[in-house]
Amino acid sequence: MKAIVGLSCWVLGALQGVILILVPIMMAQGQLTAWMIAIPLSLGTFIFVVGSGYWGKWLDRSVANKRPLAGILTLILFGFTLSQLSFLALLESRQLTGISLIIGLCFSRVLHGMFCSGVIPTAQLWLSQKDQRGEKLVWVTISTNIGRLTAPLLTFLPLDIEYFSLWFVAAMTVLAFVLSCLMLVKSPTTKDAESLLVTNHIPLDASAHQNMKLIGSTVIVTAFLITLFSSQLQFSLGPLLSNGLMTAAQASAMVAELLLSASVSALVSLFFLYKLLIRSTPLFLVFITVSFFIGTILFVLQIQLMLSVMLISSALAMAPAWYTAVAMRSTDNQKAQVSASISQGHTLGNAFGALLAGLLLAWDSNYLFPGFVILMLLIVLGWSRLYQQSIRLNNAVVNLPRQSEIE
């Protein structure tokens, strides 16, 4: 199950990167403008946000009813495969252009949003078993980031197949679907669902339950702010560099180098630093706060851009694994819904980040830098508040009377 979950997350990350890279080709082939191609892509994002909530509720009900998660993942991968094959069929037809192609792509992206929105909640629900500090949950982020990192490599392979990268990702999705089917047939038991059930429910008082709700709200807002910051930063790199002394080609090459360095920094941090630092939560928070602060200041001052992007990427890559683990640990029977809500926060942040950056750049780019500082301070405040709330919840659990005393 762990290998299938990892492969599914890789597909999700790779597909995001591949589609963005192929946008100019799709525009030229379908005689589409930028805003026309943005319609199906934005529709897919909207459906993704809505679908995440439904998958979260269904997953929690399935666990409560002892249904195997492998069956749900098989259904998700089946729909995910259909969405990719329909997307490829429309592009390879070569006959559809303009509005007709847009309508077809919208249908495909609706399927995409409906089914791929269940990948992350299912993966995190499975990996959350006996994971107190996010050391297993971090593999969701690692797999997705590896997918995003390999997307350019797939796109620029010297092969005379225009949409080879999309076909390759679709083939990997089919492979994950087949493996999931084989696992379901080989072991059609509810063992995985039973392992996620809470056998000893811990009674908490009203204040502890209220604190659990506050933790959920803090995590969702923080998740939104983090991806708002990250998306805004990525979108603004090209325009900011182009406004300097660089040509468009030089700016594009520099953006590619910066994004590659950011991806490498994120993966190194997730692979090596996270497990070392998370053993002490205060030390972990100090490290990501200092990295985030220094990186943001360097970026605002427009000095050492490579170092600033690497520091920011390191901090923002490790934070989600920690706060997702905190949020999922704070609830007994709504873990998938918590995961889905965090995924919704991340998706909305990505959607609005580029829009906000575009508006600020069009208005006055000088307002962009104070915005980064404000977002950075809000995110750090969210981390601090979440840590305090988790400490209060842990104390409430530790201070509960023993079962013998209750009797």
Side-chain angles (χ1 to χ4, degrees), residues 238-312:
L240 287 174
L241 292 171
S242 299
N243 289 336
L245 301 177
M246 294 185 180
T247 63
Q250 290 173 332
S252 180
M254 186 62 182
V255 170
E257 291 181 17
L258 290 172
L259 293 180
L260 180 62
S261 300
S263 297
V264 171
S265 175
L267 288 175
V268 170
S269 300
L270 292 167
F271 266 115
F272 302 108
L273 290 179
Y274 186 83
K275 283 191 176 182
L276 293 174
L277 294 171
I278 201 59
R279 295 173 184 174
S280 171
T281 304
L283 176 62
F284 171 79
L285 290 176
V286 168
F287 180 86
I288 62 173
T289 299
V290 171
S291 297
F292 191 27
F293 178 81
I294 294 175
T296 302
I297 296 302
L298 289 176
F299 182 78
V300 168
L301 296 177
Q302 291 290 281
I303 56 176
Q304 295 293 328
L305 282 182
M306 188 75 72
L307 177 61
S308 70
V309 169
M310 291 177 69
L311 288 173
I312 292 171

Side-chain angles (χ1 to χ4, degrees), residues 48 94 125-126 160 178 243 289 301 342 373 383:
F48 184 99
R94 310 284 176 174
L125 182 61
W126 171 258
D160 192 22
V178 171
N243 289 336
T289 299
L301 296 177
I342 295 172
V373 174
W383 291 342

Side-chain angles (χ1 to χ4, degrees), residues 25-98:
I25 296 176
M26 291 187 285
M27 289 173 58
Q29 177 189 318
Q31 301 175 16
L32 305 173
T33 60
W35 72 267
M36 291 173 71
I37 200 69
I39 292 174
L41 297 182
S42 301
L43 180 60
T45 301
F46 173 75
I47 299 298
F48 184 99
V49 172
V50 177
S52 294
Y54 283 102
W55 282 113
K57 293 177 182 178
W58 191 25
L59 284 164
D60 284 329
R61 285 199 301 267
S62 298
V63 169
N65 295 326
K66 299 183 180 180
R67 296 172 188 159
L69 290 182
I72 299 174
L73 184 58
T74 302
L75 175 62
I76 290 171
L77 290 172
F78 174 73
F80 201 3
T81 302
L82 282 181
S83 71
Q84 292 182 56
L85 292 179
S86 64
F87 194 81
L88 273 164
L90 289 166
L91 294 177
E92 294 286 9
S93 68
R94 310 284 176 174
Q95 297 178 355
L96 292 177
T97 58

Side-chain angles (χ1 to χ4, degrees), residues 25 69 128 145 226 317 332 399:
I25 296 176
L69 290 182
S128 66
N145 274 301
I226 280 180
D332 291 338
N399 294 329

